[in-house]
Amino acid sequence: MKVAVVGATGMVGEVMLKVLAERNFLITELIPVASERSIGKQVIYKNDPYTIVGMQTAIDMLPDIAIFSAGGGTSLEWAPKFAEVGTTVIDNSSAWRMDPTKKLVVPEINANELTTEDKIIANPNCSTIQMVLALAPLHKQYTMKRVVVSTYQSVSGTGVKAVQQLDNEIAGVKGEMAYPYPINRNALPHCDVFEENGYTKEEMKLAREPQKILNDKTFSVSATAVRIPTAGGHSESVNVEFENDFDLTEVRKLLHETPGIVVQDNPDTNTYPMPIYAHDKDDVFVGRIRRDETQPNTLNMWIVADNLRKGAATNAVQIAEYLVEKQLIKALVS
Ligand SMILES: NC(=O)c1ccc[n+]([C@@H]2O[C@H](COP(=O)([O-])OP(=O)(O)OC[C@H]3O[C@@H](n4cnc5c(N)ncnc54)[C@H](OP(=O)(O)O)[C@@H]3O)[C@@H](O)[C@H]2O)c1
């Protein structure tokens, strides 16, 4: 596969190169791409240096797959141009997620919807992926009615500028601000921009994307997204009301048997998921599994994952792996 990694100099792009190398994705030619200001710089893939090229140069090289992690505007402008020359685009931005003509894919849940016709495929939001992976097997078994989620999101979810802001604040150095307030020793109930309904865009992604991924509008999600000064991954407190009652042992078993999920749940040994341990792992960790004692058929859980891995790069590479395995890429269609 000739693979373009668009946004190769960014937080997600850097992890993307790492994940592609670790999983030994079949790459015959790697094309790292970033903005005009990075052309000529180098990135490392499998210990070798590769030179960053611009968008048009990458298109002219006719890649089989382009994995975009370069923001919504870049994606809206450039993804169709890659698709036009036959490249399959897997996009990490929010640009195409709710477009009814584009698939929104978490491979463990709905990769089977993909066909050779899908030229732009959307990767869900990081906080959605980890939540929906845990909800999917429970929804199948007990039928969700309503989810209430509060997130505790890492600064790495905002990109390199936000990580720099936190590092500067810890070091006591003045620098560019990615957030409107200090983030060190703080919690900002503000992830992404505010929408007209008073919710942030991140909160509305958590509300809308699970319905599309699970292809079901009969349940609803209410979200509050909060940025905290962690670096390893996003955490979520999730309260789920089901139509049907559940058994906690069966809930743990269902989660344990779900590919990509690791159950870490033992109050006797203080075992529960935390971002410092989820960091650099591909799994989604679930713990604090308990019954909500204030109303029937309702469950509480704590879900943690590395937002740059399963929340972005790993999920995108898993989609690419599925496309190759099922021969859904132009070069492989017989
Ligand atoms: N961080 C996360 O946890 C996460 C999770 C899921 C999805 N995402 C999505 O992934 C995307 C990247 O996020 P990030 O956190 O990696 O951001 P980031 O660290 O700020 O990196 C942005 C990348 O995009 C490139 N870029 C910017 N404008 C471009 C243009 N006009 N043409 C080509 N490349 C351009 C940048 O290149 P230069 O270095 O040349 O500026 C850089 O490589 C965003 O859409 C974000 O919503 C992020």
Side-chain angles (χ1 to χ4, degrees):
M1 294 285 100
K2 211 190 268 188
V3 179
V5 174
V6 180
T9 52
M11 295 264 16
V12 176
E14 196 182 311
V15 178
M16 192 72 69
L17 293 173
K18 214 166 139 190
V19 172
L20 285 165
E22 278 171 16
R23 296 175 79 98
N24 237 341
F25 189 74
L26 194 72
I27 296 185
T28 50
E29 190 175 349
L30 176 75
I31 310 168
V33 190
S35 76
E36 296 283 320
R37 49 190 175 266
S38 297
I39 293 175
K41 283 187 189 166
Q42 295 199 317
V43 290
I44 303 294
Y45 172 71
K46 288 194 171 174
N47 298 322
D48 288 324
Y50 286 78
T51 304
I52 299 278
V53 300
M55 287 293 209
Q56 193 54 53
T57 308
I59 292 174
D60 294 342
M61 292 166 85
L62 303 176
D64 300 300
I65 299 177
I67 309 180
F68 270 62
S69 316
T74 308
S75 189
L76 278 176
E77 182 184 351
W78 290 94
K81 296 181 184 168
F82 277 82
E84 248 169 53
V85 298
T87 304
T88 302
V89 174
I90 302 168
D91 182 46
N92 267 302
S93 80
S94 58
W96 306 100
R97 291 181 189 147
M98 296 313 294
D99 181 328
T101 66
K102 307 288 181 289
K103 310 270 169 68
L104 182 63
V105 177
V106 176
E108 294 89 340
I109 299 173
N110 62 340
N112 59 357
E113 291 176 13
L114 293 170
T115 71
T116 47
E117 304 299 310
D118 295 308
K119 286 294 167 209
I120 300 177
I121 300 161
N123 214 45
N125 187 42
C126 42
S127 47
T128 303
I129 294 177
Q130 64 184 75
M131 182 177 78
V132 84
L133 195 66
L135 292 179
L138 304 179
H139 182 47
K140 201 167 164 199
Q141 188 76 0
Y142 311 115
T143 312
M144 291 189 297
K145 277 168 70 177
R146 180 169 185 255
V147 179
V148 180
V149 53
S150 298
T151 70
Y152 304 68
Q153 300 187 209
S154 154
V155 289
S156 65
T158 315
V160 279
K161 276 189 191 159
V163 174
Q164 191 59 54
Q165 179 182 331
L166 177 59
D167 288 348
N168 286 345
E169 286 174 16
I170 291 169
V173 174
K174 266 204 181 320
E176 206 184 327
M177 300 279 280
Y179 303 117
Y181 297 99
I183 185 66
N184 190 31
R185 298 170 154 218
N186 205 0
L188 306 180
H190 178 182
C191 297
D192 210 329
V193 295
F194 282 97
E195 295 199 346
E196 268 178 21
N197 63 359
Y199 286 79
T200 60
K201 205 170 157 197
E202 185 83 1
E203 289 163 351
M204 294 315 295
K205 290 173 199 167
L206 276 157
R208 296 180 183 124
E209 293 178 14
Q211 293 184 335
K212 179 163 176 179
I213 298 161
L214 295 171
N215 193 21
D216 189 342
K217 288 196 167 162
T218 61
F219 67 88
S220 52
V221 180
S222 180
T224 302
V226 182
R227 189 74 61 191
I228 59 165
T230 47
H234 293 346
S235 308
E236 295 174 342
S237 164
V238 181
N239 178 274
V240 203
E241 183 187 4
F242 296 102
E243 291 280 355
N244 305 304
D245 200 9
F246 54 82
D247 170 73
L248 278 179
T249 309
E250 189 185 49
V251 166
R252 285 198 184 87
K253 186 167 176 286
L254 284 169
L255 291 169
H256 175 71
E257 287 169 354
T258 302
I261 287 197
V262 173
V263 176
Q264 290 181 326
D265 193 27
N266 188 351
D268 293 340
T269 54
N270 297 339
T271 301
Y272 36 72
M274 287 182 287
I276 52 168
Y277 295 131
H279 178 56
D280 229 11
K281 311 242 171 47
D282 287 319
D283 297 302
V284 170
F285 299 89
V286 186
R288 302 295 321 279
I289 299 165
R290 63 217 190 273
R291 191 174 279 282
D292 178 343
E293 294 178 339
T294 66
Q295 63 172 15
N297 306 351
T298 307
L299 183 75
N300 278 312
M301 295 184 283
W302 176 249
I303 303 172
V304 181
D306 186 329
N307 48 296
L308 296 171
R309 287 224 165 213
K310 184 58 183 166
T314 304
N315 199 72
V317 175
Q318 286 173 322
I319 293 173
E321 287 171 346
Y322 183 89
L323 295 172
V324 172
E325 186 199 323
K326 300 291 177 192
Q327 307 201 335
L328 302 176
I329 299 285
K330 192 178 135 209
L332 296 174
V333 175
S334 45

